[in-house]
Amino acid sequence: RFVSLRPMCRRHSWSASFDTDHDFLRRMVIARIVMVMSGIGAIAKKAALACAKRGVEFEAARRRANSARTAAKRAIALVRHADQEAAGEFIATAEKELGALARLSRTNSRLLAESFYREASEEYVEAKALAALVAHARFTLPAGIVVAPEEMLGGLADATGELVRRAVTIAHEEGALTELERYRSTALALSHELAAVSESGKLRQKHDEVERNLHRLEQLIYETKGRGK
């Protein structure tokens, strides 16, 4: 037998929910009409498209920064094993990626403040400085590469740790003392510079690391002198 659902609807307040949904849809339609008529819809759409474009640029920049950082890390390992030619190729790769990011920052200046760019630029400075020190070359950055002062100092500080590893490798070689003294002078000069700006935070930690590396280099020099190298 047919049973009317109307009493059940009233009992369970279903009809009230139907009315609420209907009112909600009606309000949405009215809001949409108002947005279109006032031009807000077009403005919102344009803003949404701009945000989507920025998101795509952000992901592309992050990939480039990761590529630069990886290339710099490989260059550091190669310099450590005295393969300057191969290291130079990876440094060039890092420079290419960082240069591209610097060009992208002309339309999106926030990219250079992102952690992925700062970390990549610091790793690049470490690789570039280490290669220059080991090769007795002048340390300079090519035009178009943007490195913030904090990342510059951080990268140079990290390079002193690699100098210690390099010093341990060559300490038993003939004539190593001259090279170790040069590494020590580099670490000492950098320690003095960091001491002036490293009251707290990241640079304070970097300064402490340079001090430890300096102490280790001095120990190696003392041991090397004892062997008469």
Side-chain angles (χ1 to χ4, degrees):
R1 187 177 61 177
F2 174 77
V3 178
S4 173
L5 295 178
R6 187 175 298 277
M8 296 175 63
C9 290
R10 285 197 297 270
R11 188 182 308 125
H12 295 285
S13 300
W14 289 358
S15 59
S17 66
F18 292 158
D19 292 341
T20 301
D21 291 344
H22 178 73
D23 290 343
F24 175 75
L25 291 173
R26 182 169 58 82
R27 288 195 300 270
M28 289 293 292
V29 171
I30 293 173
R32 179 63 178 170
I33 292 172
V34 171
M35 287 182 67
V36 171
M37 292 180 65
S38 64
I40 292 176
I43 294 172
K45 183 176 182 180
K46 183 178 180 180
L49 290 173
C51 287
K53 182 181 178 182
R54 286 292 176 91
V56 172
E57 290 177 349
F58 180 90
E59 286 303 314
R62 185 176 59 81
R63 288 193 295 270
R64 282 190 175 276
N66 288 341
S67 175
R69 189 178 183 185
T70 299
K73 282 183 176 294
R74 296 188 68 176
I76 290 168
L78 288 165
V79 172
R80 194 186 305 149
H81 294 92
D83 193 344
Q84 288 278 30
E85 183 176 353
E89 294 176 1
F90 283 107
I91 289 174
T93 298
E95 289 174 345
K96 178 182 176 181
E97 299 289 20
L98 292 176
L101 286 170
R103 290 190 294 274
L104 283 175
S105 71
R106 295 170 187 169
T107 56
N108 187 357
S109 59
R110 293 193 305 174
L111 288 178
L112 300 186
E114 294 291 343
S115 60
F116 57 71
Y117 181 85
R118 298 177 65 179
E119 291 169 2
S121 62
E122 183 171 296
E123 199 78 37
Y124 162 72
V125 168
E126 179 183 356
K128 185 81 171 180
L130 179 65
L133 285 165
V134 172
H136 293 222
R138 184 176 178 80
F139 170 65
T140 57
L141 297 185
I145 301 296
V146 180
V147 180
E150 187 172 0
E151 278 63 62
M152 178 66 76
L153 289 172
L156 293 174
D158 291 342
T160 64
E162 292 299 329
L163 288 179
V164 171
R165 295 183 180 90
R166 175 72 179 159
V168 171
T169 301
I170 67 172
H172 294 275
E173 297 178 3
E174 192 67 32
L177 185 59
T178 301
E179 193 72 354
L180 297 186
E181 291 281 8
R182 196 167 65 86
Y183 293 172
R184 176 189 173 278
S185 297
T186 299
L188 181 60
L190 184 57
S191 177
H192 288 163
E193 295 299 329
L194 281 169
V197 294
S198 59
E199 295 181 359
S200 62
K202 174 184 174 179
L203 290 182
R204 177 63 186 181
Q205 179 182 351
K206 295 293 184 181
H207 177 252
D208 292 342
E209 291 173 2
V210 172
E211 284 290 304
R212 287 193 293 270
N213 293 332
L214 177 60
H215 178 66
R216 181 62 179 135
L217 287 168
E218 289 174 342
Q219 283 184 321
L220 286 169
I221 289 172
Y222 175 80
E223 293 168 4
T224 302
K225 285 181 176 178
R227 292 192 299 268
K229 295 291 184 180

